[in-house]
Amino acid sequence: MQEESVLNRKIIHVDMDAFYASVEQMDNPLLRGKPIAVGGSENRGVVAAASYEARKFGVRSAISGVMAKKNCPELIFVRPRFDRYKEISTKIHKIFHEYTDLVEPLSLDEAYLDVTNNKKGNPSATLLAQEIRQRIFNEVGLTASAGISVNKFVAKIASDYNKPNGQKTVNPDEVISFLEELPIRKFYGVGKVTTEKMYQLGIFTGVELKSKSLEFLEKHFGKSGSFYYHVVRGIHNSEVKSNRITKSVAAEHTFDVNLSSEIYMLEQLETIAGALERRLKKYNVAGKTITLKIKYSDFTQQTRSKTLPYFISDKALIVEVVKELLYQERMKDSVRLLGISLSNLNTEEKKFVVVQLKFDF
């Protein structure tokens, strides 16, 4: 049984609508109303974001530029401008913090807000979400969608319901029925592979997931089984944490021309390691586990990792380990992308207690 304080939380998940693409259309009127993809090209790379005009043709993030152009011949590719996206994101998060200090950013374009005790003294999370979205539109020029509920899991799902430029509230007494009717593919954290596995087990909606025992779900899905068992019952006690801990830091690069020589790869990895070192210094962290990411010309991906007995953040030490990982085994094909990440960081999560009060939704 969940504590009453948890059941009375008011969580808003704000998700910007096609953020990168919308920023590009806002800054360049010639792109408005047209199908655009940020990142990639018709010959190389991967799409980072797609406008809603492009999504109608099946263009979405993470697909190759080649596939995107095939789906939408009129597609316009735009180079990403992450400094600009960060600038806009900073303005949006400044608005968030005028309502609550409990803001947990997930990325530049989405965040959780705990507004149970908010700076405006407004007991309605629904009205607060409307006000926040309106302010983002008035002050930044972009639209956002929002989900409102008693926990992060339900709020995250709800924010996707009335996109773009909409919101959905799932009140405390509606949570169970909302989850029971929800298609399993819409459960946050259930990917394509897991969805297919659930279909094979006769699980198509939340109500069917709820009918399965904890033992059954753990048998078929391991540790994730416990997560599925609890969230379908509306149990997700994770707090909104404004001091969210970085778990890994990474840098990578997609090449215009595939690399087939390990010598050339090592030269590129030197550059990537330099970028990673700068990010580590920015976050003031170090790590023990170095992972080399390799994406081949056929889009298959491989990772090689090594964990050290001590923390490192220095470029020279990173390169030393990466070189060892690179020569660990022969390359199976030419390489289109290389990346380095550092995890097992020297960060400690600070625990804190939030006092929750009961308000009307």
Side-chain angles (χ1 to χ4, degrees), residues 16-56:
M16 300 303 296
D17 299 323
F19 183 55
Y20 297 168
S22 295
V23 171
E24 296 301 335
Q25 290 179 319
M26 176 178 70
D27 288 353
N28 185 352
L30 295 176
L31 297 176
R32 293 174 191 171
K34 295 181 180 178
I36 73 166
V38 177
S41 71
E42 57 186 293
N43 298 315
R44 303 288 300 178
V46 175
V47 173
S51 67
Y52 282 98
E53 295 86 354
R55 293 183 187 188
K56 295 175 183 177

Side-chain angles (χ1 to χ4, degrees), residues 196-318:
E196 288 301 322
K197 187 173 181 179
M198 287 197 176
Y199 286 171
Q200 292 170 9
L201 294 169
I203 302 171
F204 297 92
T205 63
V207 71
E208 286 144 353
L209 177 62
K210 191 178 177 183
S211 71
K212 304 301 181 184
S213 68
L214 176 59
E215 292 74 20
F216 177 90
L217 293 174
E218 286 183 332
K219 175 184 175 183
H220 291 281
F221 301 101
K223 292 181 180 179
S224 297
S226 176
F227 171 75
Y228 302 143
Y229 178 85
H230 288 97
V231 294
V232 76
R233 289 166 171 77
I235 302 171
H236 188 244
N237 299 339
S238 176
E239 296 174 336
V240 173
K241 297 178 180 178
S242 56
N243 59 340
R244 196 164 186 249
I245 302 299
T246 301
K247 293 183 178 180
S248 66
V249 181
E252 62 181 42
H253 184 72
T254 301
F255 308 109
D256 293 331
V257 178
N258 292 343
L259 303 181
S260 55
S261 166
E262 290 171 343
I263 295 175
Y264 290 143
M265 291 179 203
L266 193 56
E267 289 178 358
Q268 294 295 333
L269 286 168
E270 289 261 4
T271 303
I272 295 169
L276 178 58
E277 180 188 52
R278 290 191 291 274
R279 292 177 187 180
L280 291 166
K281 287 181 178 178
K282 176 182 176 182
Y283 293 115
N284 192 28
V285 294
K288 290 183 177 181
T289 301
I290 300 94
T291 300
L292 171 63
K293 175 182 175 183
I294 304 166
K295 184 175 285 186
Y296 293 101
S297 54
D298 63 358
F299 287 89
T300 58
Q301 187 170 298
Q302 184 183 65
T303 57
R304 305 171 184 178
S305 299
K306 180 176 181 177
T307 298
L308 302 172
Y310 47 84
F311 292 103
I312 67 169
S313 61
D314 180 73
K315 174 187 171 182
L317 293 174
I318 293 170

